[in-house]
Amino acid sequence: MLTNRRKEFLKAVTELYEEKKEPVHYSDVAEKMKISKWTAYDVLKELEKGEYVKAEYYLEEGKSQGRSTVRFVPTEKAYQLFERVENNEWKILRDNLIDRVKNGKSASLEELLHEMFHASKPLEFCAYAIAAFLLKLRMMTGISLESIESNILACVNPTSSLILFVGTVLGASLYNRIKSDVDKVLSENVKKFYTYLNELDQKDIHLLNNFLKDLLAVAV
C-alpha cells in the first residue's frame, strides 16, 4: 500500500506527464516537489517496483550511443488508484449534500454558498451550486418540485438536463420577485456554473445529472 508521500510523488509525475504529454524526467519531479533530484529518482524507482510508473530510457538527441537518460510514465495502475480516490471523495460529497438538502433550512443554504466559494474543482463547485439552487427552489412559493422532477427525468441529454434545472430556478426567482442577498449570490454564480459545466468530461456530467435526480427525489 502506498504511503501518502508516495501518492504525492505519483500525483506529481501524473500531472507533469499530462501537462507535457511526454515521459517525465526525475529532475522535473524534484523541482515540483522541492526536493533533491536524487531523492526524486529513488522514490520513482520504488514506484516503478510497484508498477505505478514505467521507466523509459533515451539516448541524448543527436547521439547514437553513450549513456542514456531515464524518464518515467505513469501506468494504468496509477490512473486507477487516483480514480478510486476521486470516486470516494465524490461519494462523500454527494452523500453529505443530499443529507443537507433533505434536512435543509435557510441557514444550510448560506453554509452551502460559503462552501461553494471555496470549492477548488469544477465538479465540486457545480455540486454545491446544484444543491444550493434546489434548496432555494424549495423555499419559493407556487413551485411544483414534482413537475420539475418530471421534466428533468424526461430530458435525455444530461447536459441539457442540468441547464434546464438552473434555468428553471432563475425563472422561478424572477416569478417570485425575490431579491435577497442569497438570490444575488446565486445569480452571480450562474455564469461560473455554466463555465465549469463546459469544462467537465462526460463522466462527470453524468455524475452531476444523477446527483440532481437523487436530490430531487429526496426534496419532493
Side-chain angles (χ1 to χ4, degrees), residues 20 37 40 62 94 104 106 128 131 148 168 194 197 202 216 218:
K20 297 187 176 185
K37 59 183 181 179
R94 171 193 171 280
S106 59
Y128 274 111
I148 294 172
T168 300
Y194 286 145
L197 193 63
Q202 284 303 306
L216 285 167
V218 301

Side-chain angles (χ1 to χ4, degrees), residues 32-184:
K32 186 176 181 68
M33 299 290 293
K34 294 180 171 54
I35 56 173
S36 75
K37 59 183 181 179
W38 307 121
T39 298
Y41 177 81
D42 289 341
V43 174
L44 287 168
K45 293 301 288 183
E46 288 296 319
L47 290 173
E48 183 187 15
K49 291 178 183 178
E51 299 182 345
Y52 290 101
V53 297
K54 177 184 177 183
E56 296 184 353
Y57 296 87
Y58 298 84
L59 287 173
E60 291 184 26
E61 189 174 347
K63 294 184 178 181
S64 59
Q65 59 183 359
R67 189 173 182 178
S68 60
T69 60
V70 61
R71 296 176 184 271
F72 297 88
V73 176
T75 63
E76 184 63 27
K77 186 177 180 179
Y79 284 107
Q80 289 174 354
L81 171 68
F82 289 124
E83 185 175 0
R84 288 197 300 272
V85 171
E86 290 174 359
N87 287 343
N88 187 53
E89 290 176 349
W90 167 251
K91 185 179 184 305
I92 292 172
L93 175 62
R94 171 193 171 280
D95 291 348
N96 175 269
L97 291 176
I98 288 176
D99 184 63
R100 290 164 73 176
V101 167
K102 186 177 181 180
N103 304 295
K105 298 177 181 178
S106 59
S108 298
L109 176 56
E110 293 175 356
E111 290 170 5
L112 281 178
L113 292 176
H114 177 74
E115 292 169 30
M116 182 181 75
F117 281 127
H118 294 88
S120 59
K121 301 176 182 178
L123 179 63
E124 184 182 358
F125 177 91
C126 289
Y128 274 111
I130 289 171
F133 281 131
L134 186 53
L135 270 182
K136 186 59 187 177
L137 197 61
R138 198 162 62 176
M139 295 163 59
M140 298 178 192
T141 59
I143 302 298
S144 171
L145 288 177
E146 289 86 354
S147 295
I148 294 172
E149 181 184 30
S150 178
N151 290 334
I152 295 300
L153 292 175
C155 197
V156 177
N157 185 290
T159 302
S160 299
S161 174
L162 294 165
I163 293 173
L164 172 64
F165 172 71
V166 175
T168 300
V169 177
L170 292 177
S173 295
L174 291 173
Y175 177 80
N176 279 259
R177 297 182 179 180
I178 302 173
K179 296 182 180 179
S180 66
D181 290 340
V182 168
D183 286 278
K184 184 178 180 181

